[in-house]
Amino acid sequence: MAAVTSSFLDKVLGRIGRLDAEGLQAVVQRLARERKFLETLCNAIEDGVVVVDEQGRIIYLNDAVGRLLNWRLDEVEGRAIAELVPELNWDVIIAAGADGRQRSSRHEFEVTYPRPRFLRLYAAPLDIEAKGGSGMALILHDATEARQKTFEAIESERIHSLTLLAASVAHEIGNPLNALHIHLQLMERQLKKLRGTGVAAAAGRFLRGNAKADAECAEVAEKLEHYLEVAKGEISRLDYIVTQFLQAIRPTPPQLSPGSINDVARETLELLQPELENRGLNVKEKLARRLPLTPLDAGQMKQVLVNLIKNAMQAMTRNGTLTVQTGSTPDAVWVSIADTGGGIARDQISHIFEPFYTTKKKGTGLGLMIVQRIVRQHGGRIEVESDVGKGTMFRVSLPLHERPQRLLGNSKTETDTAQLRRNAQATHEN
């Protein structure tokens, strides 16, 4: 189009003196069409286009500039570009285009209005053969997302390296912890065996029948047992922290198959029943009588419920009530865990799923993050409601149907999806 227009103008200029009024009108109409075409073309471009004259005054800008910088042509026309974008040395840019020393240049700068953006500028003279300059065409490209993605990629690489290092360290810590735990158990057994064989009495006879020595030996044995219990408890806590950390940084994709959330809830309660009784907590089961099967990984969902129920137990005092309830909607099944503890403050709820954030004195801050990740990998969602002084309720919803991968021309995928839907529609009476 540019070559055609240039040829057309050359012909018109060559015979401008011989054109009559009708011919001049036809020329003007064609030039108006060309101008409208070029404006439409410029406004269709996503990048901003600004045209300045040889003094750096704005004479044209397209719609994209308005979106990037909130400029309007009727407001900025005739104003110096250096006033509006003082971040760049416009004297050098304009001069380079005017004297022909540099045909084009590239620059980068940031703006804060109407919102923070990182822009790339390409500046080129409109006519590089014109003496004294003929203005500049400025192309503005929004590189904010590309820059952010670059930073995120760099940060992700750093985090990945640190994660690998941390996983290696955690794994190496786990091995001696297991060894310590085993040897503490052996020491505990040997101590019980020595007490059973009457070491205290033997020590008393060795010390000339001193009754005080007998009592001291028994007291020392009791203290040693207590110390062993404390050491075992702390090692178990460290092992739990290491396990949680490794699960957080090395997630395992769920192996989905049709299953009952009621079965998972019952098995989890059976597993935690001794601890619930030891804490003196009441349990209310409100499991729906008939629930559709849903695609789930039973092992991972049990991990979800264990984490939620343990959090509920730790939030309550003796005689508190734990309520486990299940139900369904037309497109999902759900399970809720409610406690009668102290609740979660409003300003803390938005942070509870963040890694290493915890409201407990000995919490790792990883449990709820793992719960949320497992639920999301199942295509579900987790919601929390809390009332300070009354308790907290977590509700996990799982879709009834696994979302199929859409592949063109893949009839097997369609067949497998239909079969899964038929399986999921089967009901499981509990």
Side-chain angles (χ1 to χ4, degrees):
M1 178 60 70
V4 173
T5 303
S6 178
S7 176
F8 168 72
L9 289 176
D10 289 342
K11 291 179 181 179
V12 169
L13 292 174
R15 56 178 184 168
I16 189 71
R18 300 193 298 272
L19 291 176
D20 56 12
E22 186 177 349
L24 286 173
Q25 184 179 6
V27 170
V28 171
Q29 288 176 347
R30 178 161 181 178
L31 289 176
R33 289 195 301 270
E34 295 291 344
R35 177 185 174 86
K36 185 173 181 60
F37 170 78
L38 290 174
E39 285 185 348
T40 303
L41 184 63
C42 286
N43 288 328
I45 299 173
E46 291 186 357
D47 289 341
V49 178
V50 181
V51 179
V52 297
D53 61 17
E54 57 271 17
Q55 280 78 40
R57 294 189 298 264
I58 297 173
I59 58 177
Y60 173 79
L61 55 85
N62 69 347
D63 292 345
V65 176
R67 294 190 294 270
L68 288 173
L69 302 174
N70 200 30
W71 292 356
R72 289 174 51 186
L73 184 58
D74 58 351
E75 295 176 351
V76 301
E77 187 175 10
R79 294 182 60 181
I81 187 74
E83 296 178 9
L84 300 169
V85 187
E87 289 84 1
L88 296 179
N89 190 343
W90 290 103
D91 292 337
V92 175
I93 296 173
I94 300 298
D99 60 17
R101 289 181 302 153
Q102 184 175 343
R103 292 194 173 190
S104 62
S105 60
R106 289 177 172 82
H107 309 271
E108 295 179 345
F109 64 100
E110 293 185 63
V111 296
T112 58
Y113 182 82
R115 57 177 176 170
R117 292 179 184 273
F118 179 75
L119 303 179
R120 291 195 176 103
L121 170 72
Y122 174 76
L126 292 176
D127 187 355
I128 61 175
E129 296 181 359
K131 294 183 179 180
S134 62
M136 300 281 290
L138 310 173
I139 310 299
L140 296 170
H141 175 68
D142 186 359
T144 307
E145 289 188 9
R147 188 193 195 199
Q148 184 63 30
K149 287 180 180 179
T150 301
F151 287 161
E152 288 175 356
I154 295 172
E155 187 66 20
S156 177
E157 189 65 28
R158 290 175 179 171
I159 293 175
H160 180 65
S161 299
L162 289 173
T163 298
L164 292 178
L165 176 62
S168 176
V169 172
H171 179 73
E172 293 304 318
I173 291 175
N175 290 333
L177 280 178
N178 290 334
L180 284 171
H181 188 71
I182 292 173
H183 282 80
L184 284 174
Q185 288 180 324
L186 294 174
M187 290 172 63
E188 185 178 31
R189 292 176 184 175
Q190 293 300 320
L191 181 60
K192 290 180 179 179
K193 186 183 297 184
L194 288 174
R195 292 189 67 182
T197 56
V199 170
R205 286 194 302 272
F206 179 76
L207 294 174
R208 301 175 182 178
N210 193 335
K212 183 178 179 181
D214 292 346
E216 288 179 354
C217 287
E219 184 180 355
V220 168
E222 289 180 2
K223 286 183 177 180
L224 285 175
E225 286 185 351
H226 174 69
Y227 297 154
L228 286 173
E229 286 296 327
V230 172
K232 285 169 58 181
E234 291 302 306
I235 287 176
S236 296
R237 189 169 72 89
L238 286 173
D239 184 63
Y240 174 75
I241 293 173
V242 171
T243 302
Q244 289 279 84
F245 179 74
L246 290 175
Q247 288 175 347
I249 63 177
R250 293 193 299 200
T252 303
Q255 303 298 317
L256 302 180
S257 61
S260 169
I261 197 68
N262 275 353
D263 291 345
V264 176
R266 286 197 185 97
E267 292 172 5
T268 305
L269 287 174
E270 289 178 5
L271 176 67
L272 298 176
Q273 188 63 34
E275 188 173 353
L276 288 164
E277 292 177 352
N278 186 53
R279 289 176 176 268
L281 300 175
N282 303 310
V283 179
K284 289 184 179 180
E285 291 187 31
K286 297 182 178 180
L287 306 184
R289 291 182 59 82
R290 293 177 64 87
L291 276 183
L293 300 183
T294 185
L296 56 80
D297 184 317
Q300 290 193 6
M301 287 310 301
K302 187 182 294 184
Q303 184 181 358
V304 166
L305 296 186
V306 166
N307 273 289
L308 294 178
I309 293 176
K310 282 197 170 187
N311 284 348
M313 287 192 294
Q314 293 167 5
M316 292 185 289
T317 57
R318 186 170 292 273
N319 294 322
T321 301
L322 173 75
T323 303
V324 179
Q325 187 172 0
T326 60
S328 64
T329 64
D331 58 354
V333 297
W334 56 266
V335 56
S336 66
I337 307 296
D339 64 61
T340 56
I344 304 172
R346 184 175 299 178
D347 60 336
Q348 294 177 335
I349 285 185
S350 60
H351 301 289
I352 59 175
F353 294 106
E354 295 176 3
F356 305 111
Y357 182 87
T358 180
T359 58
K360 296 180 290 187
K361 292 182 179 180
K362 295 186 178 182
T364 64
L366 294 173
L368 286 179
M369 187 199 76
I370 295 172
V371 166
Q372 185 183 55
R373 190 192 63 227
I374 291 175
V375 173
R376 285 180 175 175
Q377 287 179 333
H378 279 70
R381 68 180 187 277
I382 181 168
E383 301 164 303
V384 57
E385 297 178 7
S386 188
D387 193 351
V388 175
K390 294 184 178 179
T392 303
M393 187 271 289
F394 285 87
R395 175 166 163 162
V396 175
S397 299
L398 300 179
L400 286 175
H401 310 293
E402 183 181 2
R403 295 176 182 174
Q405 295 181 352
R406 296 183 178 273
L407 300 176
L408 294 178
N410 191 341
S411 60
K412 184 178 185 302
T413 301
E414 297 174 357
T415 303
D416 292 344
T417 302
Q419 182 62 41
L420 179 57
R421 287 178 175 173
R422 287 194 294 270
N423 292 339
Q425 287 173 351
T427 56
H428 183 74
E429 185 170 356
N430 298 292

